[in-house]
Amino acid sequence: MAVDNIQHETSIKKNQRFLSITNPATEEVIGRVAISDPSEVNTAIKRANLAFTKWRLTTPIERANALSKLATYIDQHSRELAGIESRNTGKPIKLVLKEEIPSIVDCFRYFSGICRNTMDVSSGDYIKGHTSLIRREPLGVVALIAPWNYPLMMAAWKLAPALAAGNTVIFKPSELTPLSIQYLTDAFSEIFPAGVINLVYGEGSIVGSLLAASDMVQHVSVTGSFSTGREVLRLAASNVKATHLELGGKAPVIVFDDADIDQAVEAVKFSGFYNTGQDCTAACRVYVQSGSFETFTTKLIDAVKSLKVGDPLDPTTEVGPLISAHQRQNVHAFIENCRQSNSGKIALGGHFLNDKGFYYAPTLILGCRQSDAVVQEEIFGPVVTVMPFSSFEDALTLANDCRYGLASSIWTNDIRKAIAGANQMRFGCTWINTHLTFCNEMPHGGLNQSGYGKDLSSYSLDEYSIAKHIMIKYE
Ligand code: NAD
């Protein structure tokens, strides 16, 4: 389906409502997508329930083959998908093609592989004359609700394990970024039996809420903000459905004096500003040991100045616009608040860029207070704070002083300091001498207000299945 599908979408129903989709780099409307009304959401849930009766009985190899076909389809259509994703989100096309699509293809391939290789504890007698078996069983109908910052990647992280485990799914993309998943509609219906994958579109507060509250849905997985996670949890309580919440983050980066400073600078330049900082694991809260603070900040300012901000479709662009005017205003409000508080020094950026598009200048703030909003809150924009610290204990206290707990990194050449530090970091992931390095084999998820549960790896199959005990009395 073409990105520009305005002509294609004639009003089929009376009173049909549409999502109007904007290219954040040009502010032009590039498509519109019909919003699912409550009866359509209900029909999707019923279809998924019906399809579950058969899909749950498929063998792992059948599910593996379907996931593998989907991986191949995405791989073969990577250029079209990358173009759509880039226009809809403002992501630089170079990065979508190099960093995101290969990892998305690999995600479906990985789950195609491990779904054939899951073995639970085999039989054992725990009571005399009784044999126990453990079966891993799917949950039923699973609602998957995704954010706008990685539309296709978050879809892969949710769809692949949920389908591999034998569930049927209702997938709702963000109301801002439905185009890449919509492009896959035909592939879904060609590869999977009817009703196994159901797509619904619309606002979170309406369509998302219907999914989270439905008694016919057994599990809801949402990646989004803390307030959305809390609301989904409240709605899911109606039938005590299982929940998986991947929420916000504010990743600290601790750079010790003995670290490779050039490598740390490069990593913050890349992972602080990747996706224009709209990343829950962005390297946005940097603490540098006093002995290296000046060298580090001087080098970082030069590095960030060199980032090429501009047209996402230009293959040399490194940083695109923010997703919306609203998001840019949110980011700017943090900067204004920082200016008024006279706390940190805005060493770079802190202003809008370009006449057209929701661009914001890559921004560095030096030496703020730990309690400042720019240090404590998720800004979700191209803003990195850098503060000095004195001792190991000081660094750990500052890094852990945050309500989020998703990702973090430590930079040092002393393995004892690295391990001791990583063990004390209260985050779902601590990278050592790297940042924003993902692989499909390893789990991703947070603690505290970053939510709970795991995406990726064999751990995510546990999110979408239960261990069922069968006991046989033979004496
Ligand atoms: P958001 O919370 O506004 O929306 C996320 C999704 O939830 C959207 O599809 C939205 O329509 C839906 N939604 C909103 N209200 C809902 C409700 N009441 N019931 C059901 N669904 C509802 O988040 P966003 O602005 O799209 O994305 C940015 C947020 O996502 C950031 O906080 C970011 O940190 C987080 N995020 C986290 C991870 C992670 O792995 N932890 C990854 C990406 C993004």
Side-chain angles (χ1 to χ4, degrees):
M1 190 176 296
V3 174
D4 188 348
N5 55 4
I6 294 177
Q7 311 298 322
H8 179 83
E9 299 273 7
T10 49
S11 183
I12 307 147
K13 285 183 306 178
K14 258 195 180 162
N15 306 324
Q16 172 69 63
R17 293 193 308 126
F18 290 93
L19 297 169
S20 188
I21 310 302
T22 304
N23 177 339
T26 61
E27 303 185 33
E28 286 162 7
V29 173
I30 53 165
R32 66 179 187 174
V33 172
I35 293 176
S36 313
D37 67 24
S39 75
E40 286 165 329
V41 176
N42 226 2
T43 303
I45 297 172
K46 283 187 183 151
R47 273 163 53 88
N49 263 293
L50 194 61
F52 181 65
T53 55
K54 289 202 175 131
W55 182 249
R56 70 185 289 271
L57 301 178
T58 50
T59 54
I61 196 168
E62 290 175 271
R63 299 196 294 276
N65 284 343
L67 290 167
S68 171
K69 275 187 196 158
L70 184 56
T72 302
Y73 183 91
I74 294 172
D75 198 16
Q76 285 170 346
H77 294 79
S78 57
R79 296 224 154 249
E80 295 95 307
L81 275 165
I84 292 170
E85 197 81 323
S86 176
R87 283 189 189 87
N88 195 169
T89 61
K91 287 172 189 288
I93 192 142
K94 172 178 86 171
L95 296 175
V96 186
L97 275 168
K98 185 169 159 255
E99 305 286 340
E100 300 188 17
I101 301 274
S103 159
I104 290 162
V105 171
D106 184 58
C107 180
F108 284 109
R109 293 222 165 103
Y110 170 75
F111 283 99
S112 164
I114 59 162
C115 92
R116 294 177 66 187
N117 198 26
T118 45
M119 280 177 279
D120 279 298
V121 188
S122 54
S123 65
D125 287 15
Y126 302 94
I127 294 176
K128 195 170 170 354
H130 296 68
T131 286
S132 285
L133 310 173
I134 298 283
R135 265 170 70 89
R136 192 64 32 196
E137 294 208 343
L139 300 172
V141 175
V142 169
L144 306 171
I145 301 177
W148 45 258
N149 58 342
Y150 292 95
L152 207 49
M153 191 179 288
M154 292 303 106
W157 286 16
K158 290 184 187 302
L159 287 171
L163 295 166
N167 302 281
T168 53
V169 306
I170 320 283
F171 182 83
K172 191 195 91 60
S174 161
E175 47 273 55
L176 297 177
T177 54
L179 296 183
S180 52
I181 202 75
Q182 190 192 43
Y183 177 87
L184 293 175
T185 310
D186 292 346
F188 289 153
S189 49
E190 271 162 33
I191 295 171
F192 291 86
V196 170
I197 301 181
N198 303 274
L199 304 178
V200 294
Y201 300 96
E203 304 92 337
S205 58
I206 304 172
V207 177
S209 294
L210 285 171
L211 295 174
S214 170
D215 285 352
M216 288 189 293
V217 170
Q218 282 76 41
H219 172 104
V220 58
S221 169
V222 63
T223 298
S225 60
F226 172 75
S227 57
T228 296
R230 195 169 46 182
E231 177 60 5
V232 164
L233 208 47
R234 192 185 69 75
L235 296 168
S238 63
N239 65 332
V240 292
K241 62 174 68 64
T243 51
H244 168 207
L245 305 179
E246 292 284 349
L247 309 178
K250 188 77 183 171
V253 176
I254 299 178
V255 183
F256 288 102
D257 279 339
D258 62 6
D260 183 322
I261 299 295
D262 289 338
Q263 277 189 16
V265 165
E266 269 309 298
V268 172
K269 172 191 163 189
F270 180 76
S271 53
F273 297 92
Y274 187 92
N275 210 27
T276 322
Q278 301 165 117
D279 188 306
C280 48
T281 60
C284 56
R285 192 160 61 96
V286 182
Y287 300 101
V288 183
Q289 199 158 17
S290 317
S292 310
F293 187 76
E294 210 172 313
T295 313
F296 182 93
T297 50
T298 308
K299 289 186 176 203
L300 185 63
I301 291 169
D302 284 346
V304 175
K305 265 187 198 159
S306 76
L307 280 168
K308 186 169 176 212
V309 185
D311 176 6
L313 295 177
D314 176 337
T316 62
T317 293
E318 295 170 295
V319 178
L322 288 159
I323 189 72
S324 63
H326 176 71
Q327 184 64 12
R328 181 167 62 171
Q329 202 46 54
N330 283 348
V331 170
H332 193 58
F334 277 102
I335 302 302
E336 284 300 294
N337 176 283
C338 175
R339 279 200 179 100
Q340 277 156 22
S341 72
N342 266 336
S343 172
K345 175 185 163 213
I346 298 172
L348 205 63
H351 54 84
F352 288 28
L353 271 184
N354 298 4
D355 293 340
K356 268 265 176 268
F358 310 125
Y359 287 92
Y360 201 81
T363 301
L364 284 176
I365 309 177
L366 308 185
C368 350
R369 284 183 295 254
Q370 177 69 8
S371 58
D372 287 350
V374 286
V375 178
Q376 291 293 331
E377 304 296 327
E378 184 182 49
I379 301 175
F380 231 53
V383 181
V384 170
T385 61
V386 191
M387 293 160 62
F389 70 87
S390 50
S391 64
F392 177 84
E393 291 72 25
D394 188 20
L396 268 289
T397 304
L398 291 167
N400 283 331
D401 172 29
C402 179
R403 65 193 174 103
Y404 293 111
L406 191 57
S408 55
S409 67
I410 293 181
W411 295 76
T412 173
N413 279 322
D414 178 343
I415 185 68
R416 287 165 303 184
K417 209 188 288 173
I419 291 295
N423 291 348
Q424 289 179 54
M425 297 286 265
R426 301 275 300 131
F427 295 84
C429 166
T430 299
W431 288 291
I432 296 171
N433 294 335
T434 184
H435 198 107
L436 204 69
T437 311
F438 282 88
C439 55
N440 287 309
E441 294 86 344
M442 287 292 118
H444 168 72
L447 46 89
N448 297 333
Q449 291 190 19
S450 291
Y452 51 79
K454 294 294 172 195
D455 279 322
L456 305 180
S457 79
S458 58
Y459 289 93
S460 73
L461 287 179
D462 294 344
E463 294 294 330
Y464 296 108
S465 56
I466 59 150
K468 176 173 172 179
H469 175 211
I470 297 176
M471 183 180 262
I472 309 151
K473 184 174 183 303
Y474 60 88
E475 270 183 2

